[in-house]
Amino acid sequence: MVERSNCSISKVQNKIKLLPPFLLKLSPKDMKSQLSSNDEDECQLSRLGYCWWRSAAKFDECVRLKLDLPHIASLTPRLRVLKELERLALIAHEGLNELRYKLQMYRSGDFWVPTGGLKKEEMDIPPVITILLVGFSGSGKSSLVNLMYSVFGRSGLIPFARTSSGGATKYTTMYMEEHNVMRSMQGGFCVYDSRGFNYGKIGDALEELSSWMSDGIHHNQLCLRSGDDVLLEADTETVGLRSSSKFVQRTVNIPMVVVNIAEVHKASKASDSKPLEATRELFHSPALRKCNENPILILTHGDLLTTEERMDMRLRLCERLGISETNGVYDIVCLTEYGFLAEESDPVTAYALAEAVYRALLISDRGHSPKKNLQDWALFVLSWLMCFMGALFSFLADLCSKLGQRDRLKH
């Protein structure tokens, strides 16, 4: 990533330590009024603007813990989250280019580790790893896809995926959309944007999700639900063309659950626990379990909350889901309030997104199964024939029994 100023990250970190504690707890606007407006201070402000957690309670304690190097398990959940966010800020600037390069060079199966005495050639590794974004309507899945294009494909602000922001608040993704976020013909993974679920129909959501995970998905696959007839009236001519079966059927290798924490927080304040409970059921759906790992959790729209609300909502959600508040959980904001790309104004978000995708590929490559050989196929066919014969004999026995009862009645 090209630095837009001449100051280095090490200089900024040293200057941050020298700042008075009250400055760390100010918003960027208030901080700007306190500091001088020379080039060095402007660079300092650009570095501090995205570190929203530094105004949180207990942050001073987190800073003191840097010198003590305490055992992580002995820390409170809040301190563990603060240390995790500080870790991302520490390596974001220098680590983003390295991680982005690894994703650009990645090919399916690159992260596979020899296990079970099998060779890589004996494993059933798909040509492209498929990452599926799932979540409820308005969670930010399409915005997340656009952010991936911006960070990985260096595409600027081109909206590759249509979102429900702005004036199109009633828009919803009606088709499965495959996205080559690296914008490369040699890319080893793709990301699927899916239609959002309804909090009030979690049963239907889990059933539809199970079919995606078991049967696979393809680009422009139509996701029809009850009440969609009105939405499709204006699109009747293109439905058949868009949902063409000629697109390659993909097996989902790893899911990411996207959650709008601002929406969940708003509902919780109104004593409505439905979004939180629906999120828990979705996250723990058996269909999403891969390699005995939890799905990766992406928290969005946190910038709509205050610092304390944002921290508390993350802790509460992770506690309700029964997962670690730091492992496999990423707080990602697509664009700042000024409309800047995350890479330019918020390198922590850009790096967190890259690390989330990198982790997804690591988990996916650990979950590949061995290829079926001739013996496996023979056993499969034999078991299928046995089941068929069993069902046939059961049907014949039932039929003969009914015919025998009919003969007795005649006599």
Side-chain angles (χ1 to χ4, degrees):
M1 181 178 63
V2 178
E3 291 290 340
R4 304 190 66 177
S5 60
N6 295 325
C7 65
S8 64
I9 181 63
S10 58
K11 290 182 180 180
V12 172
Q13 290 170 346
N14 292 333
K15 292 181 180 298
I16 290 174
K17 294 178 182 179
L18 297 176
L19 286 176
F22 76 93
L23 280 179
L24 291 174
K25 295 187 177 182
L26 292 176
S27 65
K29 291 182 179 179
D30 295 335
M31 194 181 300
K32 191 170 183 178
S33 64
Q34 294 289 336
L35 298 176
S36 61
S37 58
N38 56 38
D39 292 340
E40 185 175 353
D41 289 335
E42 288 297 328
C43 174
Q44 205 169 37
L45 284 172
S46 67
R47 296 300 187 212
L48 289 174
Y50 57 78
C51 298
W52 56 269
W53 61 89
R54 288 181 176 166
S55 63
K58 302 290 185 179
F59 178 73
D60 293 342
E61 184 177 347
C62 177
V63 173
R64 290 194 297 269
L65 289 174
K66 291 182 180 179
L67 302 177
D68 299 335
L69 296 177
H71 195 275
I72 296 297
S74 64
L75 299 180
T76 64
R78 175 178 284 264
L79 286 176
R80 285 199 293 269
V81 171
L82 289 173
K83 289 187 69 67
E84 168 64 11
L85 294 172
E86 284 293 293
R87 178 190 72 86
L88 293 174
L90 179 65
I91 60 180
H93 293 84
E94 298 180 359
L96 179 58
N97 276 340
E98 180 181 353
L99 204 52
R100 182 161 46 196
Y101 176 76
K102 290 182 179 179
L103 295 177
Q104 289 173 342
M105 301 303 296
Y106 172 80
R107 300 297 176 267
S108 180
D110 280 355
F111 300 148
W112 178 80
V113 178
T115 53
L118 295 177
K119 299 179 180 179
K120 187 176 181 179
E121 295 76 18
E122 300 178 72
M123 304 301 293
D124 186 13
I125 301 177
V128 175
I129 297 298
T130 301
I131 301 174
L132 174 63
L133 303 181
V134 297
F136 295 94
S137 297
S139 59
K141 299 182 295 300
S142 300
S143 298
L144 194 65
V145 168
N146 287 332
L147 178 63
M148 290 182 184
Y149 276 113
S150 299
V151 175
F152 303 147
R154 301 175 182 268
S155 61
L157 285 170
I158 302 174
F160 285 88
R162 184 180 176 186
T163 68
S164 58
S165 60
T169 54
K170 294 183 179 180
Y171 173 78
T172 182
T173 303
M174 295 293 297
Y175 300 86
M176 285 286 185
E177 296 178 354
E178 178 177 315
H179 292 276
N180 180 358
V181 293
M182 301 303 299
R183 303 187 70 192
S184 168
M185 294 298 293
Q186 305 298 323
F189 70 96
C190 66
V191 178
Y192 263 82
D193 186 13
S194 66
R195 185 175 182 183
F197 300 125
N198 191 316
Y199 289 119
K201 299 180 179 179
I202 186 62
D204 296 340
L206 297 181
E207 185 178 349
E208 187 174 15
L209 177 62
S210 180
S211 68
W212 294 345
M213 299 298 292
S214 59
D215 302 335
I217 53 181
H218 66 79
H219 181 56
N220 277 346
Q221 176 179 329
L222 183 61
C223 302
L224 277 179
R225 297 173 187 170
S226 58
D228 286 343
D229 296 339
V230 178
L231 295 175
L232 293 174
E233 282 182 358
D235 201 26
T236 53
E237 296 181 358
T238 59
V239 167
L241 295 176
R242 290 198 60 181
S243 58
S244 173
S245 59
K246 293 182 179 180
F247 292 112
V248 176
Q249 191 83 2
R250 307 282 194 192
T251 299
V252 178
N253 300 107
I254 183 71
M256 286 186 176
V257 177
V258 185
V259 180
N260 183 343
I261 58 173
E263 188 173 52
V264 176
H265 173 75
K266 181 179 179 180
S268 299
K269 285 187 65 176
S271 300
D272 181 9
S273 61
K274 185 182 295 182
L276 184 60
E277 292 305 315
T279 299
R280 184 185 65 82
E281 290 189 51
L282 175 65
F283 187 84
H284 287 292
S285 170
L288 294 183
R289 303 292 293 186
K290 292 284 185 178
C291 304
N292 294 321
E293 296 267 1
N294 289 319
I296 293 175
L297 182 64
I298 306 295
L299 308 179
T300 61
H301 297 87
D303 55 324
L304 301 179
L305 303 175
T306 66
T307 299
E308 293 304 317
E309 290 173 343
R310 193 170 178 175
M311 288 289 296
D312 292 342
M313 197 64 243
R314 174 171 178 162
L315 294 173
R316 181 181 176 186
L317 182 62
C318 291
E319 181 182 9
R320 191 68 187 93
L321 297 180
I323 60 174
S324 168
E325 58 280 338
T326 58
N327 188 20
V329 182
Y330 296 92
D331 188 322
I332 295 177
V333 178
C334 294
L335 296 175
T336 68
E337 59 180 324
Y338 306 106
F340 296 134
L341 290 177
E343 180 184 355
E344 296 177 353
S345 63
D346 189 355
V348 175
T349 289
Y351 181 83
L353 178 66
E355 186 175 282
V357 174
Y358 186 78
R359 178 188 290 269
L361 297 178
L362 286 174
I363 296 174
S364 177
D365 278 343
R366 288 208 309 264
H368 298 310
S369 304
K371 293 179 179 177
K372 286 184 170 61
N373 53 27
L374 185 60
Q375 182 179 359
D376 294 327
W377 284 112
L379 289 174
F380 173 77
V381 172
L382 181 60
S383 62
W384 184 85
L385 286 175
M386 294 296 292
C387 291
F388 175 76
M389 292 176 63
L392 179 61
F393 285 130
S394 176
F395 171 74
L396 292 176
D398 185 61
L399 181 61
C400 292
S401 176
K402 290 181 178 179
L403 291 176
Q405 290 178 359
R406 186 181 299 176
D407 290 342
R408 291 195 192 96
L409 293 175
K410 288 182 179 180
H411 294 294

